[in-house]
Amino acid sequence: MRHDSCSIGKADSKTANAFQKELYALNPCDHKRTLNRQFSQRKHKRELLSQEAPYKFPVDKGESFLNVDLKGRDSSTTRYSEEKFSSCFLKKTKASQAQSSHTKRHANGEAVVLVDEEEPDANKAAERMDEVVECRNATKVYYPSRVDPESVEICCSDMESLAPEAYLSSTIMNFYIRYLQKTKAHADVVEYHFFNTYFYKKLKEAVLSKVKTMQSHDSCCECCLSRFHQISLNEKEASFFKLRRWWKGVNIFEKAYIFLPIHEDLHWSLVIICIPDKEDKLGPSLLHLDSLGLHCSKSLFGTIRKFLEQEWKFLRQGEVSTLPFSDKIWENLPRRIDENVIPVPQQRNEYDCGLFVLFFMERFMEEVHGRLKKKDFVMFGRRWFKPEEASRLRMKIHNILKEEFKNASEA
């Protein structure tokens, strides 16, 4: 059925209004401060975006703006022309202006009525009021439980990033990643390892620490440089040793898949490390899935290669019980790592990249059983799923969290 674009716009506006009113009622004072801060930050960021990187958008609160130079990108992964980015920015600006109009209304302190005047359904209004009470009574939720060592703490204010046209925060991303781990019942789930959204930044810092130090000592004499190389090598190994706390007790190479969400340049994408069957006589495969093609795959692969190489070196120092590689592959593992930029459905807006990363994970887990083989790559492609399926995940996560807050308030 075709809808008039004006009607769709009004419907979106109603949805945004209802969401903002609900959040305002949860904590009026705190929400006013948040909205004031967000409005000023968004206005400033829009000015920066129009000059520097019109296709970028903020994800986490308080995150500093990053300038991005398109010229430095890997041409194989930069698929959008400047005209498309400009068009993308125009749409984003209009959406931001519409969103900021609601923000200003709340920030000026006008009274907010929980029941939308244009919404005649009293049952929906009562249901919305119940949600407010439940969330207020349970200001925090620990998923899956407070005693879980990897629990995610969610506050009512974190729900703001699930508002229409909002950008998903790390808290919401990590919540749904844990949700996938706990709710996917098939036996293959034990073959997965999930890093949270903060890991890649720590990994990159560990990888780059040596490079930066090396560059600052390029003018040293040959004798000093040789000694410095040894010190740098030890420092690098020490930094990776500290990093290993992120997967303590887990042999990465025994897992079939490692999910690694990437957040760089105000954008989300996903890398999946696939460990093959021993009989395939192959090394690890790196898959990069990006719903806008904005991240430089070559750079990401370089960082993750170093991660695998360092872990390989560490494990070779002791005895490894079982490995899914033949001895020949294991001895030459760094040279047997395969890199693949995966074609995937593309998002149709500027703010759903986080939802697409989560949907990539969910869809992959549903469709892949056992260890991935080269012939299985045909499952991917621009028609792997409809983009709106990923976008609908926003409401699904909202409803799941609504139930979590309800259960917490009744406990």
Side-chain angles (χ1 to χ4, degrees):
M1 182 182 293
R2 296 174 62 90
H3 296 278
D4 182 78
S5 60
C6 182
S7 300
I8 294 173
K10 288 180 180 178
D12 290 343
S13 178
K14 287 181 185 179
T15 306
N17 271 334
F19 201 97
Q20 290 287 351
K21 288 175 182 178
E22 181 179 328
L23 288 172
Y24 178 76
L26 296 177
N27 195 342
C29 297
D30 182 63
H31 193 53
K32 282 184 184 180
R33 289 194 295 271
T34 302
L35 291 172
N36 274 321
R37 184 173 66 254
Q38 286 182 342
F39 178 68
S40 61
Q41 287 177 347
R42 285 177 183 171
K43 183 176 179 182
H44 178 59
K45 285 181 180 178
R46 283 201 301 273
E47 293 171 355
L48 290 171
L49 286 165
S50 64
Q51 299 171 14
E52 300 291 345
Y55 50 90
K56 295 298 181 188
F57 42 89
V59 178
D60 284 328
K61 296 178 187 176
E63 187 160 16
S64 59
F65 179 80
L66 300 177
N67 293 331
V68 181
D69 183 4
L70 267 177
K71 295 179 182 178
R73 290 193 184 284
D74 180 21
S75 60
S76 65
T77 58
T78 306
R79 303 185 182 93
Y80 286 81
S81 65
E82 291 182 5
E83 290 139 3
K84 287 187 179 180
F85 284 128
S86 299
S87 173
C88 178
F89 173 60
L90 286 174
K91 292 178 184 177
K92 174 183 174 0
T93 304
K94 290 178 182 178
S96 298
Q97 289 172 344
Q99 199 170 12
S100 65
S101 66
H102 305 310
T103 300
K104 290 171 71 176
R105 183 170 68 251
H106 292 307
N108 287 337
E110 292 187 14
V112 176
V113 182
L114 281 175
V115 181
D116 194 330
E117 292 177 353
E118 296 180 13
E119 176 57 75
D121 194 337
N123 290 330
K124 289 184 179 180
E127 182 181 339
R128 199 156 53 237
M129 178 65 83
D130 290 340
E131 291 177 24
V132 170
V133 174
E134 288 160 6
C135 195
R136 182 183 292 152
N137 290 341
T139 55
K140 288 183 181 181
V141 166
Y142 296 88
Y143 187 86
S145 69
R146 185 186 287 267
V147 297
D148 190 290
E150 297 180 24
S151 67
V152 179
E153 180 187 292
I154 310 110
C155 302
C156 284
S157 58
D158 293 317
M159 298 280 281
E160 290 180 32
S161 74
L162 290 168
E165 301 185 7
Y167 314 110
L168 256 60
S169 66
S170 280
T171 299
I172 297 300
M173 294 283 289
N174 290 325
F175 160 73
Y176 199 69
I177 290 171
R178 288 293 288 144
Y179 177 82
L180 291 177
Q181 289 177 265
K182 302 299 290 185
T183 57
K184 293 301 176 183
H186 65 76
D188 291 340
V189 77
V190 299
E191 297 294 319
Y192 290 81
H193 185 77
F194 300 77
F195 283 113
N196 68 27
T197 59
Y198 306 111
F199 172 72
Y200 182 75
K201 181 181 178 182
K202 295 293 184 183
L203 171 62
K204 193 171 182 181
E205 288 172 357
V207 168
L208 294 180
S209 60
K210 178 192 171 187
V211 176
K212 291 180 179 178
T213 314
M214 289 276 293
Q215 290 172 346
S216 66
H217 288 75
D218 282 345
S219 58
C220 293
C221 66
E222 186 175 344
C223 180
C224 293
L225 195 58
S226 175
R227 182 183 175 191
F228 169 72
H229 279 187
Q230 185 60 43
I231 295 173
S232 295
L233 195 59
N234 293 337
E235 288 177 351
K236 183 178 181 181
E237 290 173 353
S239 65
F240 269 95
F241 184 78
K242 292 179 182 178
L243 195 69
R244 294 193 81 256
R245 290 178 293 184
W246 285 76
W247 62 96
K248 185 177 180 180
V250 176
N251 185 340
I252 292 295
F253 292 110
E254 289 182 349
K255 296 293 183 179
Y257 306 103
I258 299 101
F259 284 142
L260 217 162
I262 308 293
H263 181 231
E264 278 196 328
D265 304 336
L266 310 176
H267 176 59
W268 295 102
S269 69
L270 176 69
V271 169
I272 306 175
I273 304 172
C274 305
I275 307 298
D277 274 324
K278 182 179 288 188
E279 55 266 27
D280 290 339
K281 297 181 179 180
L282 297 170
S285 290
L286 309 183
L287 315 183
H288 184 213
L289 293 72
D290 191 333
S291 60
L292 277 178
L294 295 183
H295 282 163
C296 176
S297 299
K298 184 178 180 180
S299 174
L300 298 180
F301 288 150
T303 300
I304 295 168
R305 269 180 171 275
K306 289 183 174 64
F307 160 54
L308 295 178
E309 288 172 13
Q310 287 297 318
E311 182 65 1
W312 171 73
K313 289 178 181 178
F314 178 85
L315 292 176
R316 277 164 54 89
Q317 295 173 4
E319 291 186 7
V320 182
S321 55
T322 57
L323 285 172
F325 305 107
S326 66
D327 292 340
K328 186 176 180 180
I329 295 293
W330 180 246
E331 289 301 315
N332 299 281
L333 191 75
R335 296 200 297 270
R336 303 302 296 266
I337 299 173
D338 187 36
E339 301 173 355
N340 303 272
V341 179
I342 303 297
V344 290
Q346 299 292 283
Q347 63 191 79
R348 295 174 179 172
N349 54 45
E350 302 78 37
Y351 40 80
D352 277 354
C353 55
L355 295 171
F356 271 72
V357 165
L358 296 175
F359 199 72
F360 290 153
M361 291 185 183
E362 184 167 14
R363 192 67 174 240
F364 189 92
M365 293 176 69
E366 289 173 351
E367 297 186 8
V368 177
H369 299 278
R371 294 180 184 263
L372 195 71
K373 300 180 183 297
K374 274 286 186 181
K375 63 182 180 64
D376 297 327
F377 283 20
V378 296
M379 65 178 273
F380 300 113
R382 296 301 175 94
R383 297 185 180 182
W384 186 19
F385 56 80
K386 295 179 180 179
E388 52 267 29
E389 292 182 67
S391 297
R392 282 198 292 266
L393 199 57
R394 183 183 299 273
M395 185 53 66
K396 178 182 176 181
I397 298 173
H398 177 268
N399 291 336
I400 293 170
L401 276 173
K402 183 177 74 175
E403 190 66 24
E404 289 294 326
F405 275 107
K406 178 182 176 181
N407 294 337
S409 67
E410 294 174 351

